[in-house]
Amino acid sequence: MSRKANKVFNITIIGGLGHVGLPLGLSFANKGLKVCLYDLNKEVADQVKNAVMPFIEYDADPILKKVLKNGCLQISLDPTVISSAHYVVIALGTPIDKYLNPETRLFLNVIESFKKYFHLDQTLIVRSTVYPHTCQQILKLLGENKEWRIAYCPERIVQGYSIRELVELPQIVSGLSQEAVEDAAKLFSILSPKIIKTSVGEAELTKLFSNAWRYIQFSITNQFYMIAQNFGVDYDRVRQAMMEGYGRAATLPTPGFAAGPCLLKDTMQLSAFCGNEFILGHAAMMINEGLPNFIVKNLSKKHQLNKTRVGILGMTFKADIDDVRDSLSFKLGKILRFQGATVYYSDEYAKNSDFVSKEELIRNSDVVIVAVAHSAYRGLVIPERIDIVDLWGIINKTKVTTKI
Ligand SMILES: NC(=O)c1ccc[n+]([C@@H]2O[C@H](COP(=O)([O-])OP(=O)(O)OC[C@H]3O[C@@H](n4cnc5c(N)ncnc54)[C@H](O)[C@@H]3O)[C@@H](O)[C@H]2O)c1
């Protein structure tokens, strides 16, 4: 259905309280645009209305306070606000199912449920990471005979640092019509230093390739780590030797858990798109997802695990944030418990009644695994009686670490 309405807002963001929607809305509101965040989550909505960020997003707190006070930001649980904006940004999640296939139908069903609120003088901007051809499918369900303006402008920020990166990174802008591209580019030029215009297909692949590329980069360093460990050589020293004065190896990441809600999901979306023939993507998944098993297997060579207390430091999916979605720390804990170990969890940012403080964890453990490189663990002093698994090399090794 198409109907016009008064434009109270410049932008309404659907899924506006999520990790992508909220910082984007804050950034536009900070530039003086009238932004409405539409979401279903009442608890988070109440929190944000009270100027409390629901998750760690560096530099967001003062902006949230400012834009609530000056009236540039509103939060709503009422979908009719979708009609009241010129731009409608879709920042909903795009999950994969338990067989690693994208759940595009669920995403499209949600979009379809909003059809009655869309009208032809709006520009719809898909911000979620989508399976290729999703924008064409949105057009199909809205009605191909009408002149809908649909743009695809993928998010490429690193979680937790959106406020900084949104004004630093170039923005990919694509659309199903020239009008959609021009109108979306006009919006993003307010934030981004550079607009890169592409076709929708190019934009979809740019986003999926970027995440798959990062996921594969992590897998190669993880595989090197495992080879070095099996060979009895310190991978940290090998990596340093590879990189020192040798620019071609300068981007080799440190080994460690590569997980979270995006990298694996997007690698698997790409794999599904190319008929499960993305061999490198699958190999990367086996390596990255296999790292917890490798750690436990090596520990079991040195310790009788059913008599060992193991502490896991860091439960989030990456350092210095509070997001535990798809974190491999939980998988590690599960494998250890399956082997009979007593397992303790601790985190500096994520809250959970089952977690203990890092001090208590260290006091009670025979083995400590640094699963996340939170800054707070740098230089942590751990008694020599404790065996440490420190993939990131952030604990003072000369004093306390024994390699597995
Ligand atoms: N998190 C990241 O750093 C990141 C980076 C780049 C791209 N992405 C992509 O962006 C998309 C969103 O990811 P996210 O991490 O922000 O997810 P999220 O789960 O943090 O946010 C989704 C939001 O949508 C809301 N929501 C769900 N159903 C809704 C509905 N029917 N109506 C209104 N609101 C609804 C949820 O309450 C939540 O607030 C995904 O496609 C993801 O792959 C995420």
Side-chain angles (χ1 to χ4, degrees), residues 42-62:
K42 185 177 178 326
E43 199 182 325
V44 174
D46 290 342
Q47 210 178 324
V48 176
K49 280 180 193 167
N50 285 319
V52 179
M53 282 295 291
F55 44 79
I56 291 179
E57 189 59 57
Y58 292 100
D59 304 331
D61 295 86

Side-chain angles (χ1 to χ4, degrees), residues 15 18-20 39-40 92 94 110 128-129 155 159 262 265 325:
H19 292 81
V20 166
D39 208 287
L40 296 177
L92 296 161
T94 46
V110 178
S128 308
T129 307
E155 168 74 86
Q159 198 171 306
C262 289
K265 168 182 73 84
R325 289 181 296 170

Side-chain angles (χ1 to χ4, degrees), residues 226-374:
M226 293 188 242
I227 294 170
Q229 288 291 307
N230 286 339
F231 190 47
V233 163
D234 184 340
Y235 177 57
D236 196 25
R237 286 175 55 80
V238 177
R239 189 174 156 270
Q240 292 305 331
M242 283 172 75
M243 296 193 314
E244 196 172 325
Y246 192 68
R248 285 189 284 276
T251 56
L252 182 64
T254 50
F257 289 160
C262 289
L263 296 189
L264 172 60
K265 168 182 73 84
D266 293 345
T267 306
M268 289 304 106
Q269 295 214 73
L270 187 56
S271 175
F273 178 61
C274 58
N276 288 308
E277 285 178 5
F278 184 24
I279 312 295
L280 265 178
H282 281 275
M285 177 181 73
M286 287 170 71
I287 295 161
N288 289 333
E289 290 286 310
L291 188 54
N293 299 76
F294 176 86
I295 292 171
V296 176
K297 196 171 154 198
N298 274 351
L299 278 176
S300 71
K301 290 177 190 161
K302 292 170 63 186
H303 301 270
Q304 219 178 325
L305 286 179
N306 59 0
K307 292 186 181 151
T308 305
R309 300 163 304 163
V310 184
I312 301 178
L313 280 179
M315 301 306 295
T316 56
F317 79 80
K318 71 180 198 70
D320 294 338
I321 61 165
D322 55 357
D323 192 345
V324 297
R325 289 181 296 170
D326 300 321
S327 160
L328 281 176
S329 298
F330 293 94
K331 181 173 182 175
L332 174 66
K334 207 168 154 185
I335 301 167
L336 283 163
R337 285 195 175 124
F338 189 73
Q339 298 290 330
T342 302
V343 181
Y344 303 106
Y345 292 157
S346 178
D347 197 85
E348 291 305 294
Y349 303 100
K351 304 277 174 261
N352 185 312
S353 53
D354 291 339
F355 295 178
V356 298
S357 70
K358 59 179 177 301
E359 291 77 18
E360 186 180 344
L361 180 140
I362 291 167
R363 218 171 24 248
N364 291 325
S365 298
D366 307 305
V367 175
V368 167
I369 302 173
V370 185
V372 181
H374 286 320

Side-chain angles (χ1 to χ4, degrees), residues 14 63 82 124 145 154-155 158 168 265 321 351 357 381:
I14 304 178
I63 299 176
I82 295 168
L124 310 185
N145 51 348
E155 168 74 86
V158 52
E168 283 171 7
K265 168 182 73 84
I321 61 165
K351 304 277 174 261
S357 70
V381 176

Side-chain angles (χ1 to χ4, degrees), residues 78-124:
D78 173 4
T80 60
V81 294
I82 295 168
S83 299
S84 311
H86 176 75
Y87 292 102
V88 178
V89 176
I90 298 161
L92 296 161
T94 46
I96 49 173
D97 68 16
K98 59 182 173 179
Y99 305 109
L100 306 179
N101 298 305
E103 297 201 287
T104 311
R105 182 41 52 197
L106 285 182
F107 180 75
L108 290 172
N109 287 347
V110 178
I111 306 282
E112 192 161 24
S113 71
F114 298 131
K115 191 174 164 180
K116 56 181 172 291
Y117 305 115
F118 297 150
H119 47 98
L120 288 171
D121 61 352
Q122 294 178 308
T123 295
L124 310 185

Side-chain angles (χ1 to χ4, degrees), residues 146-166:
K146 298 206 175 116
E147 291 185 348
W148 294 102
R149 286 200 299 267
I150 300 176
Y152 177 54
C153 306
E155 168 74 86
R156 294 191 298 166
I157 49 98
V158 52
Q159 198 171 306
Y161 298 88
S162 315
I163 300 288
R164 291 175 203 173
E165 291 200 347
L166 280 167

